[in-house]
Amino acid sequence: MHIPDGFVSVPVAGATGLVSLAGLLIASARSQAAFGVRRAPILGLTTAFIFAAQMINFPVAGGTSGHLLGGTLAAIVLGSPWAGMLCIATVLIIQAVLFADGGITALGANIFNMAFVGVWVGWTLTQTLQRLFGGSTKRLPLAAGIGAAVSVVVAAIACAIELALSGTAPIGIALPAMTGIHILIGVGEGLITGGVLTYLATARPDLLPGEQQKFRGWLVPVVSIVLVAGVLSLVASAWPDGLEKVAGDLGFIKLSQQVRIVVPTPLANYAIPGLGAIGTSIAGLLGAAVCFAVAFGIAKVVRPKNA
């Protein structure tokens, strides 16, 4: 769902950029309480894991692939949608700047769709379902899985509206095309989110909100991130993702090739020239490390002074 350069107009890019900037400033202030409790390493590890997981595109149908969006998962693990926004926005910024995954000029739109809409829709629906389920923690993976699945579809609808407002594709065509594909991708998002939360609740409850146990250590989370970013990323589906598929089918994919401003990105397409698969592994590990460092630093900066 990463919008590349050329798909959104200057007014849409400018408006979503301003909204995203204002939202992130608010999120930074509102995240202080969360970081006072949850500690900086949790944000760093969550951000690195979301980055690594987004490298793994899974096949959907009809030559289309999808990957974890992660907004609902981040908000639940961090215990705060505000912190979830910072997590996903950090991933998106690093992907755009270092990996050319998502356009620089479309960064505001991507942050709005995935870090705002994706996080808040998933978080709000999860909290609502949890109340309907009686507040049982055992039902959290189910509630979060449903919330995550729906959040992907709503984020795709936001993307379709931006494409229509930009004159890239008529809303009557872009909306059903984006919605249809992302319903299938949302199923994958829900299964991954529910599966990860089930594992954490069983094996690492110290990484979930509400638990008073001391942080048990770095080994398992770090090894997991290394395996996902450095190994599992090599088996990612090569099929185009949902937005790429729609752009190809509707004939506006060429707009991404007509961008006049080209910003050099050192690890474009998650590759290092001449290194093949090893280059992808190295790029993934570097990206995860940068995500951890940036998110860890953000948590240190925005946390309360007495935390």
Side-chain angles (χ1 to χ4, degrees):
M1 200 186 300
H2 295 70
I3 303 174
D5 290 315
F7 279 18
V8 291
S9 65
V10 172
V12 171
T16 52
L18 289 174
V19 171
S20 295
L21 177 60
L24 291 178
L25 291 175
I26 296 172
S28 297
R30 298 295 295 271
S31 294
Q32 287 187 347
F35 293 133
V37 176
R38 298 299 302 153
R39 305 180 302 277
I42 306 298
L43 178 62
L45 291 170
T46 302
T47 306
F49 177 81
I50 296 294
F51 170 86
Q54 287 196 2
M55 290 185 67
I56 305 175
N57 277 49
F58 51 83
V60 179
T64 309
S65 69
H67 62 68
L68 181 75
L69 188 151
T72 305
L73 179 62
I76 298 299
V77 171
L78 297 169
S80 163
W82 302 106
M85 287 172 58
L86 294 180
C87 170
I88 301 302
T90 299
V91 172
L92 293 170
I93 292 170
I94 290 172
Q95 287 173 333
V97 172
L98 297 182
F99 299 91
D101 190 7
I104 298 293
T105 59
L107 189 54
N110 284 325
I111 290 175
F112 178 81
N113 296 340
M114 290 185 269
F116 289 18
V117 176
V119 167
W120 278 100
V121 170
W123 169 266
T124 303
L125 186 53
T126 299
Q127 300 304 308
T128 301
L129 290 173
Q130 269 293 84
R131 285 193 292 272
L132 293 176
F133 292 159
S136 171
T137 55
K138 293 182 179 179
R139 302 290 178 88
L140 177 61
L142 176 61
I146 296 172
V150 174
S151 74
V152 170
V153 178
V154 179
I157 291 172
C159 179
I161 293 173
E162 291 156 5
L163 295 176
L165 292 174
S166 299
T168 302
I171 189 65
I173 298 176
L175 185 58
M178 287 291 289
T179 303
I181 287 179
H182 285 86
I183 286 175
L184 300 176
I185 295 174
V187 173
E189 176 90 10
L191 292 174
I192 295 172
T193 300
V196 171
L197 290 174
T198 298
Y199 167 77
L200 292 177
T202 303
R204 290 300 301 267
D206 56 308
L207 296 176
L208 291 175
E211 297 293 338
Q212 300 302 318
Q213 298 99 322
K214 185 178 180 181
F215 181 57
R216 294 182 185 175
W218 298 79
L219 180 61
V220 172
V222 170
V223 170
S224 299
I225 292 168
V226 169
L227 287 176
V228 173
V231 180
L232 294 182
S233 62
L234 299 178
V235 299
S237 172
W239 288 350
D241 68 13
L243 177 57
E244 290 176 305
K245 177 67 174 175
V246 170
D249 291 345
L250 300 186
F252 62 84
I253 188 72
K254 61 182 182 295
L255 293 176
S256 64
Q257 302 165 357
Q258 299 173 354
V259 179
R260 296 179 180 179
I261 301 175
V262 178
V263 178
T265 46
L267 300 169
N269 300 317
Y270 301 90
I272 298 176
L275 294 185
I278 295 177
T280 299
S281 293
I282 295 174
L285 295 174
L286 287 173
V290 172
C291 282
F292 174 84
V294 173
F296 186 87
I298 291 173
K300 288 290 188 182
V301 170
V302 303
R303 69 176 181 174
K305 293 181 180 179
N306 58 351

